[in-house]
């Protein structure tokens, strides 16, 4: 199913769904309005279908881009109007009460309701007229004809890699020799099977060049060799004919009319008893590999195939099942990067003037060891004056050079190959990363939750939103478009970074599509639009950011702030009526007064505050009925507003030792609750209600109780907590983390967790308490993969129990004594 919001189509998917909802009986619309909405929905469905069709073309002309932009902006405006209408009706219905007072209230509502519907009627007519205008503009400017003339093919930007002279290559000897060793090892063994080795890495790293060097180095060592490129839109007949013509040129004139099966049979027949070496370059998917591989027989003659791809799963699929040979190509080292850069810019490694050394290092850092980036920038500088001022200008403009400088065209095309191969939803998710500054470490969970709040993830068949979002994250890593960071015990990346060259690409694309507006970084200059959809303010890059007075922020869907800014330089939240995501990373300066208008952000779904000075939240927080994620881990908020339990859609509540709220059982959407504090102020009823959170998967507790056991006080707490944990363990609980900064006995967990939480995957304790033995219920946890526990003493029985846990991947055990 298509995402509700995407970079190219705007909110079109969301609008069509909401228009459908308005036509339901729930919203008692005026008859004329209903007709207008039906017309608007039908018109937008037609426009949306055409948008999908033209999105297949990689580089539409300027006229078409203008039309796409008009459609995109229209979709956002329509959604804004619908949201405003639905909110007004929702506010009216929430005021209803009983009795005389209720009767008066309902009378008032009828009058207000009527006004709201008439305002909506006028708004719909205006939007309908805009939709008609957009459609007529498509006809008037013959947008359809423009696309029918566009070519879907272009010159292969990788062609120069085939003809690069060996003398111009730097740092290729080591990788080439490693690959040759991978290809040739095992040739003397009795099982001389066909071996497939894959090179994987993102665009511009030099996969084709490396494969070509290996191919040339092994020339003459095989009876037959061939080198073919696949590309994003492969022509299988052409590829197979190319292979056949290289291994048997006599057949090249007679195979024009052959189909794929005939070509495959001919290649197999010819290679049946031959020793061959084939390079299949630039594979983008497994289906094409499955077909091509059929042409190569398993003939026990130590034949070899070398493939290149940007996609990790494709590389693994291509590699031989019994050998699993995948070579991940790395960026050039600092030494090799300098050597290549100076050689191209000055003709020799020692030719760099002293005054340009420092700025050269800064430019090389920006290039990140990518050979094509180094060569492209060095070629640009070779034709410029060798002055520090000129080189600094180039350094500062590298980010914008992707869209402005003709010398960057080759690299831009190669990088765009990876972008254009992405489906709509992944293009949108990748562009969203442009919000974050250069070299920023982006946490996986934070990113996925922001994607969800923006409407980029729309799973089918009841799939879990966060699991689908994590799948998107993994796929972007798999396609070598983001770099995994902090690999966890289970092989998952906890965060990612975006390579500078990829970041430059997605920034330029985000600006072009008015997807993100940037302020703070002088070289970006991305403020041409009066209507801003997503705003990223970087106070690290520029301390005093002056946002243009003509910028309309009432349409902003996400506001992200990095760095410190004084209150007078901050935009008032009261203006951000449409914001879905509010992410403030303003460590020391902002205070809780900045949030006084938070209740006006009726569409807010994600709120993250990384602000040390915030110690309290406004009571109006409970009015944010669409809020899904509230992340307060980097604040000093120790007590939540009483009405926070009214947030019926809140799925993720992340705090820093904040008291467990009263009536927590009202928050039935909660999936993660970390780290709430249980202390002497926590009521037993709150502990009981904890067990009613049927969707809870992750629970983090900080035990800070100093409760007298007089009259069974302590036992009442522990009994209620254990009761809740037992209930959660029978439901969806996957992770529990318990910490305590004071000595706090956990004896109550030793044998009382029954039945055991059989779905639990992670159990982690950080306290001064030591279990006298492994709790009995731990031995029943078939899905437990992470265990952090304090046990004293540790003996043979301890490790026998732990050794029998079938899924355990990570064990952290602390003890004061050990027994044999």
């Amino acid at each position: 199913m298509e995402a509700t919001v995407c970079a190219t189509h705007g909110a079109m998917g969301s609008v069509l769904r909401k228009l459908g909802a308005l036509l339901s009986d729930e919203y008692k619309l005026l008859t004329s309005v209903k007709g207008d909405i039906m017309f608007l929905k039908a018109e937008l469905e037609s426009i949306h279908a055409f948008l999908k069709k033209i999105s297949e073309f990689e580089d539409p002309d300027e006229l078409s881009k203008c039309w796409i932009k008009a459609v995109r902006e229209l979709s956002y405006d329509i959604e804004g109007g619908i949201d405003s209408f639905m909110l007004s009706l929702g506010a009216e219905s929430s005021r209803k009460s009983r009795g005389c007072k209720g009767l008066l209230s309902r009378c008032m509502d009828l009058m207000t309701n009527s006004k709201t519907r008439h305002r909506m009627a006028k708004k719909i007519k205006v939007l309908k007229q805009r939709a008609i205008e957009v459609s007529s503009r498509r006809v008037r400017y013959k947008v359809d004809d423009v696309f029918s003339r566009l070519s879907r093919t272009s010159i292969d930007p990788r062609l120069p890699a085939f003809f690069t002279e060996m003398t111009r290559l730097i740092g290729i000897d080591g990788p080439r020799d490693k690959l040759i060793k991978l290809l040739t090892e095992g040739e003397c063994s009795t099982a001389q099977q066909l071996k497939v080795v894959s090179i994987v890495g993102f665009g511009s790293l030099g996969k084709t060049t490396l494969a070509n060097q290996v191919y040339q180095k092994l020339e003459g060592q095989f009876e037959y060799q061939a080198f073919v490129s696949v590309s994003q839109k492969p022509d299988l007949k052409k590829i197979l004919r190319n292979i056949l013509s290289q291994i048997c040129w006599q057949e090249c004139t007679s195979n024009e009319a052959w189909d794929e099966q005939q070509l495959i049979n001919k290649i197999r027949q010819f290679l049946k008893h031959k020793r061959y070496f084939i390079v299949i370059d630039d594979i983008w998917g497994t289906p094409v590999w499955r077909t091509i591989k059929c042409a190569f027989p398993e003939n026990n003659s130590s034949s070899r195939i070398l493939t290149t791809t940007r996609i990790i799963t494709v590389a693994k699929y291509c590699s031989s099942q019994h050998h699993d040979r995948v070579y991940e190509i790395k960026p050039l080292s600092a030494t090799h990067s300098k050597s290549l850069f100076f050689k191209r810019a000055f003709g020799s490694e020692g030719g760099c003037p002293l005054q340009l050394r420092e700025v050269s290092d800064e430019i090389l850092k920006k290039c990140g060891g990518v050979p094509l980036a180094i060569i492209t920038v060095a070629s640009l500088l070779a034709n410029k004056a060798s002055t520090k001022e000129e080189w600094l200008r180039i350094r500062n403009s590298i980010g914008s050079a992707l869209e402005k400088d003709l010398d960057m065209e080759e690299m831009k095309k190669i990088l765009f190959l990876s972008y254009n191969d992405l489906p709509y939803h992944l293009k949108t998710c990748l562009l969203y990363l442009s919000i974050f500054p250069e070299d920023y470490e982006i946490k996986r969970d934070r990113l996925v939750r922001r994607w969800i709040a923006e409407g980029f993830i729309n799973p089918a068949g009841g799939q879990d939103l966060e699991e689908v979002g994590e799948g998107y994250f993994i796929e972007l890593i798999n396609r070598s478009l983001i770099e995994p960071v902090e690999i966890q015990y289970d092989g998952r990346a906890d965060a990612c970074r975006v390579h500078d060259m990829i970041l430059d690409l997605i920034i330029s694309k985000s600006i072009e599509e008015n997807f993100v507006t940037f302020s703070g970084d002088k070289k970006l200059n991305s403020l041409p639009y009066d209507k801003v959809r997503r705003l990223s303010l970087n106070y690290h890059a520029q301390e005093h950011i002056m946002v243009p007075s003509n910028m309309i922020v009432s349409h902003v869907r996400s506001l992200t702030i990095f760095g410190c800014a004084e209150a007078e330089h901050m935009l008032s939240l009261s203006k951000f009526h449409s914001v879905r995501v509010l992410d403030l990373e303003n460590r020391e300066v902002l205070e809780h007064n900045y949030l006084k208008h938070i209740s006006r952000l009726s569409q807010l779904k994600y709120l993250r505050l990384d602000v040390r000075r915030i110690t309290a939240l406004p009571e109006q927080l409970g009015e944010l009925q669409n809020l899904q994620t509230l992340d307060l881990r980097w604040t000093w908020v120790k007590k939540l507003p009483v009405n926070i339990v009214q947030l019926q859609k809140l799925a993720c509540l992340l705090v820093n030792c904040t008291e467990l709220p009263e009536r927590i059982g009202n928050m039935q959407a909660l999936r993660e609750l970390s780290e709430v504090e249980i202390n002497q102020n926590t009521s037993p009823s709150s502990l009981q209600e904890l067990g009613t959170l049927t969707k809870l998967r992750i629970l983090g507790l900080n035990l800070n109780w100093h409760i007298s056991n007089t009259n069974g006080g302590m036992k009442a707490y522990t009994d209620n907590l254990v009761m809740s944990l037992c209930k959660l363990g029978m439901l969806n609980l996957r992770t529990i983390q318990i910490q305590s900064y004071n000595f706090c006995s956990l004896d109550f967990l030793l044998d009382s967790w029954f039945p055991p939480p059989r779905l639990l995957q992670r159990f982690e304790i950080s306290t001064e308490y030591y279990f006298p033995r492994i709790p009995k219920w731990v031995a029943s946890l078939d899905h437990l993969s992470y265990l952090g526990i304090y046990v004293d003493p540790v003996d043979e029985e301890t490790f026998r129990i732990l050794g029998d846990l079938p899924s355990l991947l990570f064990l952290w055990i602390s003890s004061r004594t050990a027994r044999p």
Side-chain angles (χ1 to χ4, degrees):
M1 189 182 292
E2 187 182 356
T4 54
V5 178
C6 83
T8 305
H9 305 164
M12 191 65 78
S14 176
V15 164
L16 291 173
R17 286 178 178 79
K18 289 178 179 179
L19 286 174
L22 282 178
L23 291 171
S24 68
D25 293 335
E26 181 183 350
Y27 298 94
K28 297 176 176 59
L29 301 172
L30 301 173
T31 305
S32 60
V33 176
K34 207 160 194 173
D36 285 344
I37 289 178
M38 290 174 69
F39 175 89
L40 184 60
K41 185 171 183 286
E43 191 70 13
L44 291 178
E45 283 173 341
S46 174
I47 292 172
H48 195 204
F50 184 66
L51 264 180
K52 291 179 181 178
K53 180 181 175 183
I54 63 179
S55 295
E56 296 174 8
F57 296 91
E58 295 173 359
D59 192 20
D61 68 344
E62 290 303 315
L63 185 64
S64 304
K65 286 179 181 178
C66 286
W67 184 80
I68 293 170
K69 175 198 164 189
V71 172
R72 185 172 59 238
E73 298 302 313
L74 173 63
S75 73
Y76 284 130
D77 291 344
I78 293 175
E79 186 183 41
I82 296 172
D83 287 342
S84 177
F85 173 65
M86 288 177 164
L87 178 68
S88 298
L89 291 184
E92 289 155 15
S93 62
S94 68
R95 289 195 298 265
K96 290 180 181 177
S97 55
R98 297 186 179 186
C100 296
K101 196 173 182 179
L103 178 63
L104 180 62
S105 174
R106 285 194 292 277
C107 290
M108 292 294 293
D109 282 346
L110 280 172
M111 289 186 287
T112 311
N113 198 300
S114 177
K115 289 179 181 178
T116 300
R117 295 178 197 280
H118 278 91
R119 279 200 306 270
M120 183 62 180
K122 291 180 181 178
K123 183 74 172 175
I124 288 291
K125 284 192 180 297
V126 172
L127 293 172
K128 174 186 171 183
Q129 191 57 44
R130 281 184 62 187
I132 293 171
E133 172 57 28
V134 165
S135 291
S136 63
R137 196 180 306 165
R138 170 182 156 192
V139 175
R140 190 162 63 247
Y141 295 126
K142 300 179 180 179
V143 174
D144 301 53
D145 295 343
V146 171
F147 278 98
S148 66
R149 294 193 298 269
L150 283 175
S151 171
R152 294 169 184 259
T153 60
S154 59
I155 297 172
D156 188 346
R158 298 167 301 106
L159 273 176
F162 292 105
F163 306 104
T164 305
E165 295 294 336
M166 180 62 190
T167 53
R168 296 180 59 193
L169 300 175
I170 302 291
I172 203 161
D173 294 357
R176 180 199 62 202
D177 294 344
K178 284 181 183 177
L179 271 170
I180 290 173
K181 184 179 179 183
L182 278 175
L183 285 163
T184 57
E185 64 185 1
E187 287 184 341
C188 300
S189 64
T190 53
Q192 297 176 335
Q193 299 173 331
L194 173 66
K195 182 191 288 187
V196 182
V197 175
S198 296
I199 305 172
V200 66
F202 72 86
S204 305
L205 274 180
K207 297 180 297 295
T208 300
T209 302
L210 178 57
N212 193 36
Q213 290 302 309
V214 171
Y215 183 79
Q216 292 179 28
K217 190 75 172 178
L218 293 179
E219 198 166 2
Q221 297 186 30
F222 294 83
E223 293 177 76
Y224 294 95
Q225 292 186 200
F227 193 123
V228 293
S229 292
V230 175
S231 77
Q232 282 178 302
K233 297 168 184 173
D235 182 337
L236 275 174
K237 285 185 182 178
K238 184 178 178 181
I239 293 166
L240 293 168
R241 280 199 297 265
N242 193 352
I243 294 171
L244 187 58
S245 66
Q246 291 184 57
I247 61 174
C248 181
W249 62 269
Q250 296 95 333
E251 298 287 348
C252 64
T253 56
S254 59
N255 64 31
E256 291 296 327
W258 291 357
D259 61 20
E260 287 92 339
Q261 186 173 346
Q262 289 173 306
L263 288 164
I264 287 171
N265 287 336
K266 187 64 181 179
I267 295 170
R268 287 185 65 88
Q269 181 184 350
F270 188 82
L271 295 176
K272 189 173 183 181
H273 300 295
K274 310 292 193 306
R275 185 168 183 262
Y276 56 87
F277 175 41
I278 311 292
V279 177
I280 312 293
D281 183 43
D282 199 30
I283 302 175
W284 289 83
T286 55
V288 66
W289 167 249
R290 281 198 297 268
T291 303
I292 292 173
K293 192 175 185 293
C294 293
F296 307 121
E298 297 265 3
N299 55 15
N300 294 325
S301 58
S302 295
S303 294
R304 301 291 184 257
I305 297 175
L306 180 63
T307 68
T308 76
T309 181
R310 303 183 185 202
I311 304 171
I312 294 170
T313 50
V314 172
K316 290 179 178 178
Y317 187 87
C318 291
S319 298
S320 306
Q321 293 181 1
H322 301 294
H323 299 281
D324 191 24
R325 302 292 191 229
V326 175
Y327 180 82
E328 188 172 351
I329 190 169
K330 301 292 185 184
L332 293 177
S333 66
T335 302
H336 285 142
S337 295
K338 274 189 178 182
S339 179
L340 180 61
F341 181 77
F342 291 149
K343 202 170 180 181
R344 181 66 189 89
F346 302 107
S348 67
E349 293 183 38
C352 180
L354 188 61
Q355 75 272 17
L356 297 180
R357 290 275 176 176
E358 185 178 345
V359 68
S360 295
D361 289 341
E362 293 172 5
I363 290 171
L364 282 169
K365 180 181 178 294
K366 183 77 175 173
C367 293
V370 177
L372 184 59
I374 294 169
I375 291 169
T376 305
V377 176
S379 300
L380 178 66
L381 290 166
N383 298 311
K384 302 291 183 181
S386 294
T387 63
K388 189 172 182 178
E389 290 74 21
E390 181 65 13
W391 280 48
L392 285 170
R393 188 187 67 79
I394 296 296
R395 180 206 64 183
N396 293 333
S397 66
I398 286 176
S400 55
L402 275 177
E403 55 181 331
K404 294 178 181 177
D405 198 291
L406 294 177
D407 292 333
M408 294 285 188
E409 197 63 29
E410 179 188 5
M411 185 168 64
K412 179 183 177 182
K413 285 180 180 177
I414 289 177
L415 291 173
F416 260 117
L417 287 175
S418 290
Y419 176 78
N420 290 328
D421 187 58
L422 294 172
Y424 299 131
H425 63 277
L426 287 183
K427 282 181 180 175
T428 304
C429 291
L430 179 64
L431 289 189
Y432 198 68
L433 296 173
S434 64
I435 284 174
F436 299 92
E438 186 178 314
D439 297 327
Y440 193 90
E441 187 176 292
I442 307 165
K443 290 293 186 180
R444 179 196 64 226
D445 292 346
R446 174 187 178 189
L447 180 62
V448 168
R449 286 165 185 151
R450 287 186 57 144
W451 284 343
I452 292 170
E454 289 273 8
F456 300 159
I457 299 173
N458 193 24
Q463 292 173 290
D464 183 82
L465 278 170
E466 290 198 17
E467 289 177 3
V468 174
E470 187 171 342
Y472 292 0
F473 181 83
I474 292 169
E475 184 62 17
L476 291 175
I477 292 174
N478 176 40
R479 290 172 177 263
S480 306
L481 288 167
I482 59 177
E483 303 169 6
V485 177
E486 294 184 21
I487 305 301
Q488 297 175 299
Y489 69 95
D490 55 0
R492 298 189 306 159
D494 188 53
C496 73
R497 282 196 187 93
V498 184
H499 191 282
D500 287 354
M501 292 296 119
I502 301 292
L503 183 60
D504 289 342
L505 170 79
I506 61 178
I507 284 174
S508 68
K509 196 70 179 172
S510 292
I511 293 171
E512 177 187 321
E513 298 192 355
N514 192 25
F515 186 66
V516 181
T517 299
F518 306 91
S519 187
D521 196 334
K522 293 179 181 178
K523 70 182 180 185
L524 290 180
N525 259 338
S526 67
L527 299 171
Y529 293 97
D530 53 353
K531 285 186 180 179
V532 177
R533 302 301 177 184
R534 293 168 190 86
L535 182 58
S536 178
L537 301 176
N538 186 358
Y539 288 96
H540 290 307
Q542 186 178 346
E543 188 174 346
H544 302 297
I545 299 175
M546 298 303 294
V547 177
S549 57
N550 64 337
M551 182 191 287
I552 301 174
V553 297
S554 58
H555 303 281
V556 169
R557 301 171 74 89
S558 79
L559 172 62
T560 310
I561 297 177
F562 302 96
C564 298
E566 299 296 338
E568 60 267 24
H569 296 293
M570 297 289 290
L571 293 166
S572 171
L573 289 183
S574 62
K575 300 178 180 179
F576 290 86
H577 309 303
S578 302
V579 75
R580 270 84 171 157
V581 172
L582 180 59
D583 198 334
L584 305 180
E585 197 168 288
N586 186 280
R587 299 293 169 93
E588 305 295 342
V589 179
L590 280 185
E591 297 185 3
H592 66 271
N593 286 338
Y594 183 69
L595 302 174
K596 62 184 177 182
H597 297 301
I598 193 91
S599 62
R600 299 185 187 180
L601 311 184
S602 57
Q603 300 299 326
L604 193 64
K605 296 182 179 182
Y606 178 99
L607 175 60
R608 176 178 176 268
L609 302 174
D610 185 349
V611 188
R612 299 289 191 272
R613 287 194 183 181
I614 290 185
T615 57
L617 296 174
E619 288 297 326
Q620 298 90 334
L621 190 73
E623 298 176 23
L624 302 177
Q625 288 302 303
N626 288 304
L627 197 63
Q628 298 169 352
T629 297
L630 178 59
D631 188 347
L632 304 172
R633 286 174 293 181
W634 310 107
T635 68
W636 288 105
V637 174
K638 296 304 174 186
K639 191 174 180 65
L640 294 166
V642 173
N643 63 358
I644 194 171
V645 295
Q646 296 174 12
L647 301 178
Q648 298 298 303
K649 294 181 181 179
L650 193 68
C652 181
L653 177 57
L654 306 174
V655 294
N656 178 19
C657 300
T658 303
E659 288 183 17
L660 181 70
E662 292 290 319
R663 296 182 292 124
I664 187 71
N666 289 346
M667 305 177 76
Q668 284 297 305
L670 276 178
R671 292 164 48 93
E672 179 170 359
L673 178 61
S674 301
E675 292 172 348
V676 288
E677 182 170 285
I678 298 174
N679 56 34
Q680 61 270 23
N681 297 321
T682 306
S683 69
S685 61
S686 294
L687 291 175
Q688 287 179 353
E689 289 186 30
L690 199 59
T692 66
L693 302 177
T694 58
K695 295 181 181 179
L696 198 66
R697 297 166 69 96
I698 300 173
L699 176 62
L701 299 174
N702 180 50
L703 304 183
N704 189 25
W705 48 34
H706 300 280
I707 303 164
S708 169
N709 205 27
T710 307
N711 299 322
M714 185 67 179
K715 190 174 186 303
Y717 267 72
T718 57
D719 285 352
N720 286 327
L721 180 56
V722 168
M723 186 190 311
S724 288
L725 291 178
C726 289
K727 288 179 181 178
L728 294 173
M730 290 188 288
L731 296 167
N732 290 298
L733 193 65
R734 303 296 197 275
T735 295
I736 182 165
Q737 296 168 294
I738 299 176
Q739 66 176 13
S740 176
Y741 297 113
N742 302 308
F743 180 81
C744 180
S745 174
L746 298 183
D747 284 344
F748 62 91
L749 279 179
L750 199 55
D751 297 316
S752 55
W753 200 329
F754 184 84
R758 299 196 181 277
L759 296 177
L760 199 69
Q761 297 171 3
R762 182 172 181 139
F763 179 60
E764 186 177 3
I765 290 181
S766 178
T767 71
E768 295 181 9
Y769 169 82
Y770 287 79
F771 285 109
R773 54 180 167 78
I774 296 291
K776 286 183 180 179
W777 51 269
V778 170
S780 305
L781 304 181
D782 291 342
H783 298 281
L784 192 71
S785 59
Y786 184 108
L787 178 61
I789 194 168
Y790 289 69
V791 180
D792 187 59
V794 170
D795 53 21
E796 186 177 339
E797 178 65 11
T798 303
F799 288 108
R800 187 194 64 75
I801 294 171
L802 297 177
D804 287 339
L805 293 173
S807 302
L808 194 63
L809 297 174
F810 182 94
L811 173 64
W812 191 96
I813 187 166
S814 176
S815 182
R816 291 173 292 201
T817 57
R819 293 177 183 172

